[in-house]
Amino acid sequence: MIHSLWHRLFVSAIAVEKVTFGGRVVLLGFGTVGQGLLSLLLRHFEMSMAQVTVVDAQKHRAQFARFARLGICYLQLRLTPDNLTSTLQQLLSPGDLLINLTVGVDSITILDWCQIHDILYVDSSIEPWADQFEDIKIPLWKRTHYFFHQTLRHLAKTRASAGATAIVAHGANPGLVSHFVKAALLDIASIMKLPQIWPTDQTSWATMSRSCGVKVIQISERDTQISSRPKQLEEFVNTWSIWGFLAEAYYPAEIGWGTHEKHLPENAACFEFGSGNAIYLQRPGGATYIRSWLPLGGAIEGLLLSHSETITISDYFSLWQDGQLLYRPTVNFAYHPTNDAIASLREVMMRGGQPHEKLRVLNQDIVTGRDELGVLLLGHPCNGWWYGSQLSIEEARQILPGHNATTVQVCAGVIAAAVWAVRHPQAGFREPEQLPHNEILQIARPYLGRMVSVPTNWTPLQGRCLATSPYSSTLLFPEPWLDWNDPWQFDNFLVR
């Protein structure tokens, strides 16, 4: 009786096709995304809830109480290098599923352990141990997502091509945005009346991107959710993991580097190993801004944060022939968080990176706003094309009661990856681009609100104040580095 009542509470009117799973599920991390994801597991997985265990470093027992009535197990434990292996051994057996939503716990170590022990694995981001974020002995190039992905790919080569499915970096972004790129490319190709050939592998997708003429792919996000409680001094406010946000802000800014670029930006450095598809700036992403555009948000100056999708998208859409690179788009993430989050991050930067003691994740106190997240493909004959999700706080609460728009979008990516992993348990190591975008989006679509696919005439040169600008006749501050002949050069996007 109790199980039936709570099951109805967690399952909304959204119709889903459930997957039957006979193994155990271990969820590492029970912050805002973990709490939302646990509700989605009840919607999508046909299994006994006694098979589910939550491992949580924080004190979230009050938030867990409603799940405890279903028989789900809660283990409050901070994972460390000393107890990680023994904990996993106690909780997991071959054929089980581990979903990793932690911050500051080495995800590469966890993934490798799962691969060795034939356990399905899904995470939303690649994380090092927490003490590595500020370890000055670690060089900048080892603080990049490029390095993390090269390490993971090396590990994957040491395993069999088939083996327990391990899907990395599959939340909203990174994750769903990689599938948005493919959907956007198909729309652009249709508008351009290119031959209707459905790409089936990496080479054919890269060929389609080149045929469309895409030079730049931006992941653009603007979060306008507003709380009824204004941010206070010495308080950090955000709509998702504060520690996760700070970790991204501390990383060097990273860019997938395209073949159309004429020269490297100031303070840029290249990688001397791997495919070399990315560069990094010798400055933190949390102090670097980039121009972008969204249909509702308009033109923005967003944070140029290091993200996995910057690396994996630029690599996947690289076209090679006989060992020679023919084509690659420039890829970057432009993030405009809530106004309170921007003020919070500025305070941290002014304090030399020292975090606040008071932390608040916005949720029930949000009164209005949305998270607009998508991909902006630029440089093709249509000029620009944006594809993505416009999820309001009102829609998010209808879809997943008790959660904000940002959380719901991330949960959509994680649950889609988890369902796919259970359906395809022996697919081996997978980055988001190596999954079928149509199948993933079909699972995630009910959680994304209004989906938009629209052209735009925006370029990063619009509104720039230079006497020779075709967009403005007002001379305020000269910008001699701008390339008016090629709007898609990185220098035109970077805020100086």
Side-chain angles (χ1 to χ4, degrees), residues 256-316:
W257 201 241
T259 47
H260 73 285
E261 300 287 359
K262 298 176 182 177
H263 59 268
L264 293 172
E266 185 180 3
N267 291 327
C270 301
F271 295 96
E272 298 179 356
F273 58 96
S275 59
N277 62 291
I279 63 171
Y280 65 95
L281 305 184
Q282 298 178 77
R283 56 181 289 120
T288 310
Y289 288 84
I290 195 84
R291 291 177 174 82
S292 190
W293 179 91
L294 306 95
L296 296 177
I300 65 169
E301 292 183 357
L303 293 165
L304 181 58
L305 297 181
S306 170
H307 255 213
S308 279
E309 72 268 25
T310 295
I311 307 304
T312 58
I313 291 174
S314 67
D315 199 26
Y316 191 82

Side-chain angles (χ1 to χ4, degrees), residues 27 29-39 101 124 239-241 400 403 406-408 410-412 414:
L27 176 61
F30 198 62
T32 54
V33 174
Q35 293 164 34
L37 185 69
L38 199 49
S39 295
L101 301 177
S124 58
T239 53
W240 56 286
S241 170
L400 194 57
H403 295 277
T406 308
T407 295
V408 174
V410 177
C411 287
V414 179

